[in-house]
Amino acid sequence: MDTPVGHGSRIASRPSQTDIDEREFRRTLGQFCTGVAVITTVDGEPVGFTCQSLTSLSLDPPLVTFAVANGSRSLPRLLRTGVFSANVLCADQEPLGRRFGAPHPDRFAGVDWLPAPVTGTPQLAGALAWVEALVSDAVPAGDHTIVIGRVVGVRRGGGDPLLYFGGEFRVGGVGSTQ
Ligand SMILES: Cc1cc2nc3c(=O)[nH]c(=O)nc-3n(C[C@H](O)[C@H](O)[C@H](O)COP(=O)(O)O)c2cc1C
């Protein structure tokens, strides 16, 4: 009998039912349009990477989550510091999305940022929104780790969002909010 999915069930322990082609899986989920964030921390120096898996998880308590590839160099540093900021990028910040999403000798070179009020983690100038959080859990899931953060500060800017769709950056004509 199948184990019902619910609290405490471990997907990893269930037998896989079908073989899904990895490329097709990527392309299919690429149809899910997301915003783009840069997750940052300070581990002796500022650290950050581009992330599309950011989402709100809970209102009470306020939690956010994102998934980090296990091979990411930022992951052990994030878990060591236990704090992060999520910087939601504006339409005109595509260069930052690219820079923080690929190997780069110094991602923060020439980038304007301020330390977040509570955690001191980098908040990039001109972003659409900033969330700072304390890492409350890190859950292994396949080749990624799901990081859960307890939100300790939020701040909003204005403008159009930077989007990611079909494996490409897009600019959203969705109207600005303030
Ligand atoms: C638009 C975009 C979204 C991304 N989203 C994620 C993500 O959600 N999780 C992740 O682990 N990597 C994501 N990446 C890839 C990382 O940003 C990239 O592998 C980066 O080089 C990791 O840096 P690090 O090894 O210094 O941590 C994304 C890249 C791009 C361009």
Side-chain angles (χ1 to χ4, degrees):
M1 195 171 50
D2 273 356
T3 312
V5 174
H7 285 106
S9 70
R10 298 302 303 259
I11 290 165
S13 67
R14 304 167 88 207
S16 74
Q17 316 249 307
T18 52
D19 284 331
I20 300 293
D21 177 69
E22 185 178 321
R23 190 157 160 268
E24 194 52 28
F25 178 64
R26 268 177 178 272
R27 291 181 69 169
T28 301
L29 272 296
Q31 303 284 58
F32 185 58
C33 184
T34 68
V36 180
V38 171
I39 305 293
T40 61
T41 193
V42 176
D43 181 31
E45 58 182 357
V47 172
F49 74 100
T50 301
C51 177
Q52 66 167 157
S53 52
L54 176 73
T55 190
S56 62
L57 179 64
S58 162
L59 289 176
D60 183 17
L63 301 175
V64 291
T65 180
F66 56 89
V68 196
N70 291 331
S72 151
R73 286 164 306 156
S74 307
L75 177 59
R77 306 183 81 177
L78 263 173
L79 298 182
R80 183 160 56 235
T81 64
V83 287
F84 65 88
S85 276
N87 297 265
V88 178
L89 298 187
C90 271
D92 63 3
Q93 292 181 311
E94 180 177 332
L96 288 182
R98 289 190 186 282
R99 180 195 283 218
F100 283 84
H104 191 281
D106 182 2
R107 286 178 178 156
F108 282 86
V111 173
D112 264 357
W113 62 271
L114 285 172
V118 180
T119 60
T121 50
Q123 298 202 328
L124 308 182
L128 192 54
W130 301 265
V131 175
E132 58 173 322
L134 315 178
V135 173
S136 65
D137 213 346
V139 184
D143 55 11
H144 279 56
T145 296
I146 300 168
V147 175
I148 298 173
R150 170 72 144 96
V151 176
V152 292
V154 291
R155 197 156 60 90
R156 273 186 298 141
D160 284 326
L162 181 62
L163 304 178
Y164 199 66
F165 177 70
E168 289 176 9
F169 289 99
R170 309 281 179 121
V171 172
V174 295
S176 57
T177 59
Q178 187 72 51

